[in-house]
Amino acid sequence: MNIRPILYILMFVSLLIDSTLISFPLLFILCLLNYILYSDIKSLVTGFFVLTLLDILRVSQIGLMPAFFLVTCLLLNLYKKNFEIKDFKMVIFFLFVASISFAAIFNYSPNIFIYILVYGVASLVFVYFYKKHSLW
Amino acid sequence: MQKKTTIVIGVLIFFCIVIFFARSTPPILFTSGVFQNLFSIPKSFIYDFRGNGSQESGQIKKLIEENKNLSKKLLEFERIKKDNDAFRSQFETEQAKQYKLLPAKVIGFGGSFSNPTTLVIDKGTSDGVKKDMAVISDNNLVGKIGEVSQNYSQLILPVSKKFMTLGKTSEGQLLGVVSGTGDFIFFDRVETTKTLTNGETVLTKGEVNSSGAGVPPDFVIGKISSVNKNESLPFQNAKIESIIQFSRLYTVFVVLGL
């Protein structure tokens, strides 16, 4: 099942609602998820461009968000050498840690309970799709 | 394949560093201006929709309005009182100064949803906005301009850790430093010899930087909600509660000239 077009639509929507309607690093999570699922150059370049755009719209220093995203991808690559990253539990945990760090650095909501709730729900969704082998 | 992606990551990180250091150059400014113009209307619409979706009850709204009007009247009373004292002493007179104001729409925020620490407004360098300019709403200080780009600016609210200005109390004229802690507004460095009282209004003292931008005097920052005084220490401090709800602001005014 190719969820890439869905991810792109969600990225565009989150670009509009990030810091307008919600204080949650949704776009960063989607970019990272795109890279975790596909691990190709296209996902890196997409993440670079949309996060640069987010920097421009949030009036933060341009270049910092995409740099954080790319460093996270680099760490992911290093981790993949030794461990299996496509285990959905590791995916959830990695996204959780990365998004909390991103939120702390780039002035998003510091309420950790929101993240626990969101990732709790995401885990249930992942379990459902994993059992159905719909993701990979 | 993994080696190839690592090389691409390295190249893109290099681009990020170049963009970061070249962010004030014309090509980057032009590009960011174009995108900000493009997203300005949808962001403004979505931000307005966010406020309209959660209406306060009529009663609470009425009370907030009444509170704002009473604060205004109190300030006016203090100004007239000062004028009277000045006429008697024949030294000076206080006049309500007219400032050049630029209206701006709030189109985004940073920090938590209910207690933001920064706001994004739809005016930038192309409209004459500069860093450290004050932003007001009625007779209240909303904050100071932080980062400025072509068409958008970041507004640092008093609760933000990046915020700092000089303040004074409305009655006793006690001077102090107003700063943000992330959760609340702090009034620090006030002499212990004088008395701060709960409910007292804290106003801006007024300050101007070398480029002419700054905070005008006598704008309301908030009211003192709790005082921390220790006679053995040289200074006392207090917690300030803002009169305005920053998450409910949609139009603000940038003070262009002092």
Side-chain angles (χ1 to χ4, degrees):
Chain A
M1 178 185 154
N2 185 14
I3 60 168
R4 203 158 210 169
I6 302 169
L7 277 172
Y8 285 156
I9 293 167
L10 287 173
M11 276 186 208
F12 178 72
V13 171
S14 60
L15 191 60
L16 284 174
I17 66 173
D18 192 302
S19 305
T20 311
L21 209 56
I22 58 168
S23 183
F24 189 77
L26 188 60
L27 184 59
F28 172 74
I29 293 166
L30 288 169
C31 291
L32 207 53
L33 192 62
N34 190 24
Y35 182 71
I36 289 170
L37 292 175
Y38 296 101
S39 299
D40 56 7
I41 295 167
K42 207 175 173 181
S43 49
L44 287 169
V45 173
T46 309
F48 170 77
F49 277 114
V50 294
L51 287 167
T52 306
L53 209 52
L54 188 62
D55 262 340
I56 290 169
L57 297 178
R58 278 175 60 95
V59 204
S60 45
Q61 286 164 345
I62 303 173
L64 292 182
M65 281 189 188
F68 186 94
F69 163 71
L70 292 163
V71 167
T72 312
C73 292
L74 197 64
L75 289 171
L76 249 172
N77 275 356
L78 292 170
Y79 185 83
K80 259 201 272 193
K81 269 186 186 173
N82 298 316
F83 299 97
E84 176 54 57
I85 192 65
K86 283 196 173 173
D87 175 10
F88 82 90
K89 292 187 273 298
M90 287 314 301
V91 168
I92 297 284
F93 178 72
F94 195 87
L95 283 173
F96 180 75
V97 171
S99 58
I100 292 260
S101 315
F102 186 86
I105 295 168
F106 294 106
N107 195 28
Y108 282 88
S109 174
N111 191 346
I112 199 162
F113 295 111
I114 296 173
Y115 293 87
I116 293 170
L117 181 70
V118 167
Y119 283 100
V121 169
S123 302
L124 293 170
V125 171
F126 261 102
V127 165
Y128 175 75
F129 280 109
Y130 187 71
K131 281 186 175 168
K132 277 193 131 187
H133 300 285
S134 303
L135 273 180
W136 58 77
Chain B
M1 180 63 184
Q2 204 163 5
K3 200 175 178 182
K4 205 177 174 186
T5 50
T6 309
I7 293 167
V8 170
I9 289 171
V11 168
L12 289 172
I13 289 175
F14 172 75
F15 277 134
C16 289
I17 295 167
V18 166
I19 291 169
F20 178 76
F21 285 108
R23 64 189 186 275
S24 309
T25 56
I28 306 286
L29 288 174
F30 175 76
T31 313
S32 60
V34 165
F35 283 114
Q36 283 171 353
N37 267 332
L38 211 62
F39 282 85
S40 184
I41 293 170
K43 276 180 83 75
S44 175
F45 175 77
I46 293 167
Y47 194 82
D48 284 348
F49 174 78
R50 162 189 179 263
N52 289 333
S54 53
Q55 291 287 348
E56 285 165 331
S57 72
Q59 180 78 347
I60 295 170
K61 250 188 165 174
K62 201 178 165 192
L63 286 168
I64 292 170
E65 264 321 298
E66 260 178 49
N67 194 13
K68 268 193 201 168
N69 289 333
L70 285 169
S71 300
K72 234 186 213 171
K73 282 186 178 154
L74 180 67
L75 270 176
E76 199 51 46
F77 166 73
E78 292 293 332
R79 204 170 11 240
I80 293 167
K81 190 165 166 270
K82 262 193 225 165
D83 264 350
N84 276 334
D85 292 340
F87 279 132
R88 275 194 217 107
S89 72
Q90 292 179 347
F91 270 124
E92 61 189 71
T93 182
E94 288 281 334
Q95 283 176 359
K97 199 175 172 181
Q98 296 297 320
Y99 299 105
K100 192 177 174 194
L101 301 175
L102 173 72
K105 284 197 84 172
V106 178
I107 56 169
F109 69 99
S112 70
F113 187 84
S114 54
N115 189 26
T117 55
T118 59
L119 296 175
V120 178
I121 59 172
D122 66 348
K123 294 286 186 284
T125 51
S126 57
D127 306 290
V129 177
K130 288 184 206 167
K131 194 175 156 83
D132 292 332
M133 279 183 170
V135 178
I136 61 172
S137 171
D138 287 334
N139 62 331
N140 301 294
L141 178 76
V142 179
K144 282 159 73 166
I145 298 288
E147 296 287 327
V148 195
S149 64
Q150 187 91 337
N151 297 309
Y152 291 179
S153 301
Q154 191 186 63
L155 168 53
I156 312 280
L157 300 176
V159 290
S160 167
K161 287 178 188 174
K162 295 181 197 171
F163 182 87
M164 192 176 282
T165 192
L166 298 172
K168 62 183 182 186
T169 54
S170 58
E171 284 152 39
Q173 298 287 302
L174 300 179
L175 298 177
V177 174
V178 177
S179 59
T181 62
D183 297 313
F184 57 87
I185 310 170
F186 199 49
F187 189 39
D188 198 7
R189 308 244 159 213
V190 184
E191 291 172 27
T192 326
T193 49
K194 309 279 169 69
T195 310
L196 284 173
T197 44
N198 274 348
E200 205 173 353
T201 306
V202 177
L203 308 172
T204 54
K205 168 78 175 65
E207 58 193 45
V208 186
N209 65 15
S210 51
S211 61
V215 179
D218 299 324
F219 279 85
V220 176
I221 298 172
K223 287 193 172 167
I224 292 174
S225 59
S226 66
V227 180
N228 177 24
K229 187 174 179 176
N230 188 337
E231 298 292 343
S232 57
L233 295 173
F235 298 114
Q236 58 182 317
N237 50 58
K239 209 165 146 180
I240 297 174
E241 213 170 273
S242 177
I243 292 167
I244 45 174
Q245 275 189 286
F246 299 116
S247 57
R248 296 257 181 263
L249 284 173
Y250 299 98
T251 305
V252 293
F253 295 87
V254 183
V255 180
L256 292 178
L258 286 181

